[in-house]
Amino acid sequence: MRPEMYEYQYDWMIANSIRIIKRAMNNSEKELEEMLKYMPYFRDSVSVLLGQGEVSKAFIRLIDTWTDLYFYNAEKIGYKRVMTTFIMNPVLFHAMKIAPLNCELITIFGNAFYLRGSFDFMDHCIAEGFTETSCSAQRATLGAYLAGLAKPFDMVLINSTGTCDANANAFAFLANRLKKPLYAMDFPHRIPGEEESDYTLKDMKAMIAFVEHHTGRTVDYERLGELLTTVGKQEEMIVEIQELMRAVPCPVPALCNFMLYVGHLIGMGLPEYTEMLRAILEMGKRNVEAGRAGTASGKERARIYAIYIDHYCTKLDYWKWFDEMELSHLGGIPCATFYEDQPYLKGNEEMGWGVDTSSPEGMIRTVAELGARQPMARSIRGPYDAPNQWLDETLTMMKHYRADCGIFAGTYGCRNTWSNNQSLAREVEKYGYPTLICTADAIDERPQSWVQTQAQIEEFLTIRGIV
Amino acid sequence: MSYVIGCDVGSLTSKAVVLKKRRFLSSAIIPSKAKPEISAETVIKEALGGAELSLHDVQYCVSTGYGRERVAMCDKTESEIECHARAAKWLFPSVRTLIDIGGQDCKAIRMDEQGKIVKAQANDKCASGTGRFLEVMASILNVDVGELGMLSERATKKYTMSSACTLWAQAEVIKRLNSGYAVADIAAGINNAMAIRASILLNSVGIEEDVLMTGGVAKNPGVRADLENIIGHRVKRSRNADLQLAGAMGAALIAQESIRQ
Amino acid sequence: MIETFQSATEQVLNPYAAEWVQEGKKVVGYTCNFVPGEILHAANILPYRLRGHGTESLDIADAYYGPFVCSFPKCLLQLIGEGKYKFLDGAIITTSCDSVRRLNDNWRSVAKDIPDILPAFFHYLGAPYKVVPHSVEWYIKELKMLIEHLESHFGVSITEEKLKKSIEAYNVSRQLLTELDEFRIAEEVILSGADMYTVVLAGTVMPRDMYNDHLERLLAKVKEKRPPVMSGRKRIMVAGSICDDAELISLIEDAGAVVVAEGLCFGIRGLADRVRLDGDPLVALAERYMEENTCPRFIMSYDKRVTFLHDKAERARAQGVVFQNVRFCEFHGSENSLLESGFEEVGIPAVRLEREFGPLNETGRVRLRVDALLNRISEKSTTAE
């Protein structure tokens, strides 16, 4: 890596950037404009993130809590650290005083807050021996930690084996290279099912035993109960927000989807997440009453469903573009939570999960079932056309949210989806939904720049008559 | 009669050198022909001509490069990695890490004090990080690839390429040209992109000083300077030897050892 | 010496399987070592491991699999699309890895466009990604589901007794292969790595009794004190991604090596270990197939794999290791670099080689790396002297 990349610790840079935004956001517009001059690296990302008023502020407070308190200063609050994947829900860790380091989010923040994105760290990861064909989502974080540019973590815990090899492999490499204990939950390829649930519960308990063995920490069931109660309330708010999104025009801004699932990945059970959800709900309700879309102009030209993930490159251009194009974002795999009250589960209630705080066993089962319904683990663990898998979920959501079209965005390392996105697109098109397979890497902008990606998507929207 | 030949038959260029004892007498570099045996024959003849010698004067010949097995006139073949390492050590005994950037591939080699190879990595699949990348970019800028180095020295602003892939980078360069970016600035960006790719390969074998760059791209001062900045180590310069001949030189040195034995 | 085995591996449908088919008997293809051949054998079905050998283009595969995917399942899909596997009465796709498991999806997608290429029996077999008590239990459930499906589709009965007999037959193969291996790792190597690999490959596509019979005959010939074939060559172990072609082994040996061991899933990795005969045969199969599997998809078992490979290299007195991976193979692609460092640390030179699966048109690249490795071994030996 270039020598200047070693000047600052990667984790400090991210935590500090967010802290600066948090300090800046409560100033007047003019003051903020002035302060942006002192943030040359990430002023564009800041402009996008702060574009949603009170919702933005609540989001910044949430990610600041996570980065400052848990990610960067875990040891100060007596927490250990675990390197984990975005699909591992954080609730259980908080009940064991362990800070979850969400690897993919750390890469995405690196992209947003470094001048040239996190690509130097991605390349460093390859220089350290990691395979260059793997997913870009983990590579920057891996590169930073392998370069010794972040505070060390204590262990690696994942739940992506059986769902995503590229993901699981990245953590395996990191754990084996740095000689850290590793536990990998895996999921059967069917969901739901009594035997499948049974297996996942056993696996969850085995993971807890593993953590107990390696850290000496046990589950504080009282704390877990409190967290899960909060989670239940948060899920109810998410149900309401996502039901609002069915309205035409969609009253929720595109960026709120990102905020919603980032929060879901790191903020479940935390009061800051509740506050942010409340702000989104209030904004959504105001827009619905006024008949406004969530876009800046209040107009909606088309409704897009993200068939897989979104685009997370430097400057967060994708979200800005959504707004400029007056497009509504109806969510995607990362956004759906499958909480039992979600209306899209009608007739398929078994596919949902609920909160049970009546006993420790009930709580662990809740965490296990919730985990089994996290993004990816839920919908791409089995054949794409199996019940409740990718095709089923895509068509259900596109119909439920009244989508005009679907866009697939993923990373080149995603063997799983790139192996059959063409078959999926073909089937989705048969139902009358124009579908684009975007050829960009969602997190590494170098193979296909945002400019090229934007042109590709706009061309699709134009020639298919969507806008 | 103690003349030996080292011949490096690559996919883009073929090189040959004539060595007697410790002196390299002459050399030749030609664009490779379709058949490696014809490339070898032609380049060896040219090299011999430069020293006013003929094949009868040659005691031993070692070939290297992708086409080495097809060179009938040679007595022995040797791997490119071995040949480059041998040449590097001969030129600069203090060299421990070597990056060879050829027309179509790029190799990084780390050696111990005796010149034995400790680790080696190659990129021979992707054009980015090879001379091919520079050739493609130079043609878009409408300059000779040999001018890219000097051009970048005139840059006032370093432009950062956002595309790693040669194909996409072409489109990017065209767009920047049309947007009025200075050719020198773009050239600097191209050299920088090249240096970044080379640095990844170097880091993967681990860097120990002294560091040397060989191959045709070693003649590009822009790439060398950027590489030094990125890896934080000085890259040795050669005043007399043409480092594009390193493979052939190494082969010749091995040929000489063979006749001594 | 190995002509029978060679002819078993040279075509998609080899003569022995063709004869089996002509006799009206059933053949079921499968993707991975997670399908215990014993189960199919007990149903008098010929287990036929799917190979990509003979693929010449990827136009069909590219249309469904796309660009960023390992070429192994793509080669399979290509041959499937070309109708080369039409002789199969069934197929079992395992959840080996993301790329292979999507063969389930893509085979069925291709079948919508190209008629008559989807066998009547089509089964998706889940395999856990770690070896712990509850995951072995899960695997047993999956095997039971497979047995039930086979029984109902083919109208057979796979009893405990039949399973035991099949286990015995497979254990005979394992025993014979182990004995052959002794000659292959001897100081004076009688069986080349390429030949040994061909012999092992043949076991994945030949009827069991015939295979055992030919193994015994080969062993007898090898015991006849034949002249060593690979004297003076450097002893190499090859490990890494799936390789269903002895050509790669030949290419390495042509450079002046002898491949004395391999850690490859088509090779003896996992094939030479017996299944116990006591207790419930299905449990015995599940335990053996899980515990003896050294695929890096078992990401929590890295240390076990390191020990396995080190022991293998030591036993075969390997002087160097080639860690190869198919491009886009996550698991081997990364783990190879850890293993390479590990071997270097204990003084055994190693080299990594990334390649495409399929016709070997990258011989130059392979030789570049293999030559460098062999040179290092030479230098090491010279220094030691």
Side-chain angles (χ1 to χ4, degrees):
Chain A
M1 277 198 295
R2 290 170 288 136
E4 61 262 33
M5 303 311 292
Y6 289 90
E7 283 295 307
Y8 296 103
Q9 294 285 99
Y10 185 76
D11 52 359
W12 181 86
M13 279 287 274
I14 288 169
N16 200 44
S17 304
I18 295 171
R19 191 177 311 132
I20 288 169
I21 302 172
K22 188 179 161 197
R23 284 195 195 138
M25 70 187 187
N26 288 319
N27 293 288
S28 69
E29 242 184 77
K30 225 179 158 184
E31 284 168 336
L32 179 61
E33 191 55 46
E34 206 46 47
M35 289 179 80
L36 282 175
K37 291 179 191 168
Y38 296 94
M39 299 181 214
Y41 270 28
F42 53 97
R43 53 179 302 155
D44 295 305
S45 300
V46 174
S47 302
V48 170
L49 288 174
L50 291 184
Q52 302 300 331
E54 288 307 313
V55 169
S56 287
K57 290 181 184 179
F59 177 67
I60 298 298
R61 280 191 286 270
L62 167 64
I63 60 175
D64 178 64
T65 300
W66 179 69
T67 51
D68 189 38
L69 202 55
Y70 302 111
F71 174 48
Y72 192 65
N73 289 311
E75 68 280 0
K76 290 187 182 162
I77 53 169
Y79 270 48
K80 290 205 177 276
R81 285 185 177 84
V82 62
M83 180 59 74
T84 186
T85 177
F86 72 109
I87 55 179
M88 178 73 91
N89 78 78
V91 183
L92 180 68
F93 298 129
H94 285 294
M96 297 181 85
K97 290 194 144 198
I98 296 173
L101 309 187
N102 195 299
C103 178
E104 293 79 4
L105 199 55
I106 297 168
T107 294
I108 288 170
F109 283 156
N111 267 357
F113 301 129
Y114 273 83
L115 178 62
R116 292 181 197 87
S118 59
F119 313 136
D120 292 277
F121 300 99
M122 287 185 192
D123 286 345
H124 182 77
C125 187
I126 308 308
E128 291 276 349
F130 192 56
T131 177
E132 63 178 355
T133 58
S134 199
C135 183
S136 45
Q138 292 85 30
R139 265 194 269 131
T141 306
L142 252 65
Y145 278 84
L146 290 170
L149 288 170
K151 291 182 183 178
F153 50 86
D154 298 286
M155 68 181 80
V156 178
L157 301 172
I158 60 170
N159 62 347
S160 44
T161 33
T163 299
C164 178
D165 292 343
N167 180 306
N169 183 61
F171 290 95
F173 182 82
L174 186 66
N176 290 324
R177 193 76 158 63
L178 298 180
K179 302 202 189 327
K180 300 286 182 184
L182 164 72
Y183 192 88
M185 287 182 68
D186 54 350
F187 292 107
H189 60 85
R190 285 172 293 269
I191 183 171
E194 209 179 295
E195 287 183 339
E196 286 76 10
S197 290
D198 209 42
Y199 178 85
T200 301
L201 181 63
K202 282 183 183 152
D203 215 10
M204 176 65 68
K205 287 178 176 172
M207 188 182 79
I208 293 170
F210 179 87
V211 175
E212 285 171 348
H213 172 75
H214 284 283
T215 63
R217 301 275 163 102
T218 53
V219 180
D220 175 350
Y221 285 101
E222 203 181 313
R223 177 82 181 116
L224 183 58
E226 284 166 7
L227 286 164
L228 286 175
T229 305
T230 308
V231 166
K233 291 180 182 148
Q234 289 169 343
E235 291 296 324
E236 280 162 16
M237 292 169 80
I238 292 169
V239 169
E240 242 194 294
I241 292 167
Q242 291 183 333
E243 274 303 282
L244 284 177
M245 286 166 65
R246 297 183 68 207
V248 180
C250 170
V252 177
L255 185 65
C256 291
N257 285 284
F258 175 70
M259 293 174 171
L260 206 140
Y261 63 73
V262 165
H264 206 253
L265 301 175
I266 55 163
M268 288 174 85
L270 300 184
E272 289 85 356
Y273 188 43
T274 308
E275 196 201 309
M276 189 195 83
L277 290 171
R278 191 169 293 129
I280 296 175
L281 194 52
E282 279 166 13
M283 178 203 266
K285 281 179 177 167
R286 276 198 307 271
N287 282 340
V288 153
E289 277 161 20
R292 275 178 60 90
T295 59
S297 66
K299 296 189 188 129
E300 175 186 272
R301 289 170 74 202
R303 300 166 68 87
I304 318 283
Y305 179 73
I307 286 176
Y308 192 47
I309 60 176
D310 291 302
H311 195 271
Y312 308 103
C313 285
T314 60
K315 303 187 195 128
L316 304 175
D317 284 312
Y318 172 85
W319 304 103
K320 192 167 141 199
W321 169 83
F322 247 95
D323 212 42
E324 284 167 356
M325 287 285 289
E326 296 174 320
L327 300 171
S328 292
H329 187 301
L330 303 175
I333 285 184
C335 310
T337 68
F338 279 66
Y339 182 64
E340 60 191 357
D341 289 345
Q342 283 283 9
Y344 50 73
L345 287 170
K346 202 169 164 191
N348 191 17
E349 283 78 10
E350 248 196 22
M351 194 51 199
W353 64 278
V355 173
D356 175 5
T357 54
S358 61
S359 64
E361 178 83 0
M363 287 188 240
I364 298 300
R365 192 175 274 281
T366 299
V367 173
E369 290 299 305
L370 158 59
R373 283 147 183 84
Q374 288 281 82
M376 301 4 172
R378 181 183 71 237
S379 15
I380 56 170
R381 58 163 81 185
Y384 84 108
D385 52 355
N388 299 303
Q389 292 302 286
W390 201 13
L391 180 61
D392 200 358
E393 181 173 317
T394 301
L395 290 172
T396 303
M397 297 303 184
M398 288 181 90
K399 185 177 173 191
H400 190 77
Y401 291 104
R402 304 185 180 108
D404 291 321
C405 66
I407 295 176
F408 168 90
T411 72
Y412 296 160
C414 190
R415 225 63 65 217
N416 199 336
T417 55
W418 272 100
S419 289
N420 66 353
N421 59 7
Q422 292 171 100
S423 297
L424 180 97
R426 198 168 116 169
E427 294 302 312
V428 173
E429 289 264 5
K430 280 184 189 162
Y431 282 83
Y433 296 108
T435 307
L436 169 71
I437 298 176
C438 180
T439 50
D441 185 299
I443 296 169
D444 185 347
E445 207 173 329
R446 294 169 299 171
Q448 181 169 307
S449 67
W450 167 248
V451 169
Q452 287 158 329
T453 304
Q454 179 183 342
Q456 185 182 34
I457 304 175
E458 285 178 13
E459 179 191 58
F460 161 74
L461 294 173
T462 307
I463 62 176
R464 298 302 297 270
I466 297 160
V467 295
Chain B
M1 195 177 76
S2 52
Y3 299 101
V4 297
I5 297 254
C7 180
D8 178 1
V9 185
S11 31
L12 276 188
T13 57
S14 294
K15 287 80 72 179
V17 298
V18 180
L19 173 69
K20 182 180 178 177
K21 292 191 180 169
R22 288 189 63 77
R23 271 190 70 211
F24 285 97
L25 302 176
S26 65
S27 63
I29 304 174
I30 61 161
S32 291
K33 318 279 182 195
K35 291 189 176 179
E37 48 268 41
I38 298 179
S39 299
E41 208 182 288
T42 312
V43 74
I44 288 172
K45 204 170 159 185
E46 205 175 296
L48 285 168
E52 292 177 11
L53 297 166
S54 72
L55 264 176
H56 294 297
D57 301 311
V58 178
Q59 194 173 347
Y60 207 84
C61 176
V62 169
S63 64
T64 187
Y66 279 113
R68 66 182 180 275
E69 303 281 348
R70 308 278 300 279
V71 181
M73 68 181 67
C74 286
D75 300 289
K76 186 180 165 179
T77 65
E78 191 54 77
S79 79
E80 295 155 74
I81 287 175
E82 188 60 44
C83 289
H84 278 273
R86 205 64 79 90
K89 216 50 174 163
W90 189 85
L91 288 165
F92 299 101
S94 62
V95 161
R96 297 287 292 274
T97 320
L98 168 68
I99 178 107
D100 171 59
I101 309 179
Q104 292 211 24
D105 71 1
C106 180
K107 296 178 274 289
I109 303 165
R110 184 159 54 88
M111 301 170 270
D112 66 13
E113 278 165 9
Q114 281 76 44
K116 295 198 190 349
I117 294 163
V118 173
K119 198 162 183 186
Q121 288 271 58
N123 160 35
D124 43 11
K125 289 187 84 84
C126 177
S128 297
T130 73
R132 184 86 191 113
F133 176 76
L134 295 180
E135 269 185 34
V136 169
M137 297 303 138
S139 81
I140 298 169
L141 294 181
N142 203 24
V143 300
D144 189 75
V145 68
E147 293 174 52
L148 277 176
M150 288 181 312
L151 259 179
S152 70
E153 282 166 6
R154 299 207 294 266
T156 51
K157 209 168 81 172
K158 183 164 280 178
Y159 165 66
T160 305
M161 305 257 314
S162 56
S163 304
C165 171
T166 306
L167 280 175
W168 292 125
Q170 282 184 74
E172 192 183 333
V173 166
I174 290 168
K175 189 176 165 136
R176 297 299 167 209
L177 273 177
N178 292 335
S179 307
Y181 278 63
V183 171
D185 292 351
I186 299 175
I190 289 166
N191 289 333
N192 188 243
M194 181 79 200
I196 289 172
R197 298 296 292 172
S199 72
I200 298 170
L201 208 58
L202 264 174
N203 281 317
S204 70
V205 301
I207 300 173
E208 284 180 43
E209 283 189 343
D210 286 325
V211 181
L212 178 70
M213 189 160 84
T214 60
V217 178
K219 297 175 190 174
N220 183 323
V223 174
R224 193 180 55 228
D226 281 349
L227 186 61
E228 285 177 335
N229 283 336
I230 294 167
I231 62 173
H233 295 274
R234 200 166 175 275
V235 175
K236 288 197 89 68
R237 283 137 176 78
S238 167
R239 285 206 185 84
N240 301 315
D242 181 348
L243 293 171
Q244 191 176 0
L245 295 166
M249 288 168 70
L253 290 165
I254 291 167
Q256 190 158 76
E257 263 168 40
S258 301
I259 60 171
R260 273 200 217 119
Q261 285 157 13
Chain C
M1 268 206 300
I2 62 154
E3 295 77 22
T4 309
F5 302 103
Q6 244 161 1
S7 67
T9 60
E10 276 162 358
Q11 298 157 72
V12 176
L13 175 61
N14 68 55
Y16 318 107
E19 207 182 305
W20 181 278
V21 168
Q22 268 159 26
E23 287 167 10
K25 294 191 268 193
K26 305 296 179 191
V27 187
V28 169
Y30 66 97
T31 46
C32 171
N33 278 334
F34 281 107
V35 177
E38 289 91 329
I39 290 177
L40 295 167
H41 184 268
N44 200 30
I45 295 171
L46 174 61
Y48 210 78
R49 187 154 177 194
L50 299 175
R51 298 168 59 216
H53 180 74
T55 314
E56 281 165 10
S57 94
L58 287 176
D59 55 329
I60 298 174
D62 276 333
Y64 297 87
Y65 255 117
F68 308 117
V69 180
C70 165
S71 31
F72 169 63
K74 286 177 78 166
C75 285
L76 295 186
L77 190 68
Q78 181 70 25
L79 294 174
I80 287 162
E82 288 173 1
K84 303 264 168 63
Y85 275 109
K86 269 188 182 174
F87 63 90
L88 293 175
D89 300 289
I92 303 167
I93 313 296
T94 46
T95 58
S96 327
C97 63
D98 285 343
S99 306
V100 167
R101 71 177 168 101
R102 290 297 182 201
L103 187 63
N104 170 305
D105 307 22
N106 287 328
W107 194 330
R108 291 182 293 109
S109 290
V110 173
K112 289 177 190 167
D113 300 321
I114 302 175
D116 304 326
I117 56 146
L118 187 70
F121 175 83
F122 202 70
H123 188 94
Y124 192 56
L125 178 74
Y129 278 72
K130 57 180 178 283
V131 190
V132 292
H134 59 274
S135 70
V136 177
E137 257 174 48
W138 182 262
Y139 181 52
I140 292 170
K141 282 190 181 122
E142 289 281 335
L143 291 179
K144 280 185 178 153
M145 284 193 271
L146 170 64
I147 289 174
E148 275 163 24
H149 192 188
L150 284 165
E151 285 178 333
S152 74
H153 181 88
F154 290 105
V156 295
S157 172
I158 300 172
T159 61
E160 271 194 23
E161 204 188 309
K162 284 182 186 173
L163 272 178
K164 280 190 174 165
K165 283 217 163 73
S166 297
I167 289 171
E168 276 171 10
Y170 270 72
N171 277 352
V172 165
S173 310
R174 291 169 181 126
Q175 174 59 34
L176 291 167
L177 285 169
T178 310
E179 287 181 39
L180 270 172
D181 202 41
E182 291 298 323
F183 288 93
R184 182 265 189 107
I185 65 170
E187 196 59 48
E188 296 294 343
V189 174
I190 291 167
L191 210 51
S192 71
D195 282 352
M196 187 68 197
Y197 202 62
T198 303
V199 168
V200 176
L201 278 176
T204 65
V205 287
M206 275 176 80
R208 190 56 33 180
D209 294 340
M210 183 188 286
Y211 184 59
N212 285 347
D213 181 47
H214 281 279
L215 279 179
E216 280 183 23
R217 287 194 225 173
L218 175 63
L219 193 56
K221 279 191 193 158
V222 161
K223 278 176 181 168
E224 272 169 28
K225 289 204 170 42
R226 292 175 160 259
V229 295
M230 302 297 226
S231 297
R233 288 168 176 253
K234 302 194 184 73
R235 300 167 72 95
I236 300 293
M237 180 167 81
V238 179
S241 291
I242 195 156
C243 173
D244 70 357
D245 202 325
E247 258 187 57
L248 176 66
I249 311 291
S250 293
L251 184 62
I252 293 169
E253 290 188 320
D254 284 347
V258 55
V259 174
V260 291
E262 65 277 321
L264 300 168
C265 71
F266 258 102
I268 297 189
R269 172 175 112 186
L271 270 181
D273 309 292
R274 322 284 183 272
V275 178
R276 61 181 170 80
L277 285 163
D278 56 301
D280 183 336
L282 193 62
V283 173
L285 279 172
E287 283 170 1
R288 184 265 177 206
Y289 274 85
M290 287 276 278
E291 279 160 19
E292 299 305 328
N293 196 309
T294 52
C295 180
R297 70 190 279 291
F298 284 129
I299 63 169
M300 287 169 62
S301 308
Y302 171 70
D303 290 337
K304 181 178 155 187
R305 267 189 299 287
V306 170
T307 307
F308 168 77
L309 286 169
H310 279 259
D311 287 350
K312 219 175 214 301
E314 202 179 333
R315 189 172 160 266
R317 278 161 290 120
Q319 295 166 288
V321 188
V322 173
F323 287 108
Q324 53 82 34
N325 72 282
V326 179
R327 187 159 175 84
F328 299 116
C329 175
E330 251 72 62
F331 292 126
H332 285 101
S334 297
E335 196 167 275
N336 281 354
S337 79
L338 298 173
L339 292 168
E340 182 196 28
S341 304
F343 269 84
E344 292 278 353
E345 270 164 33
V346 298
I348 300 177
V351 74
R352 272 188 291 149
L353 161 66
E354 187 179 81
R355 61 183 185 93
E356 291 291 347
F357 184 92
L360 272 182
N361 49 11
E362 321 174 88
T363 50
R365 290 187 63 248
V366 174
R367 282 295 300 265
L368 177 80
R369 288 150 177 86
V370 173
D371 285 346
L373 176 68
L374 297 182
N375 276 338
R376 286 187 59 210
I377 295 170
S378 293
E379 281 172 6
K380 215 168 159 276
S381 311
T382 314
T383 313
E385 278 157 29

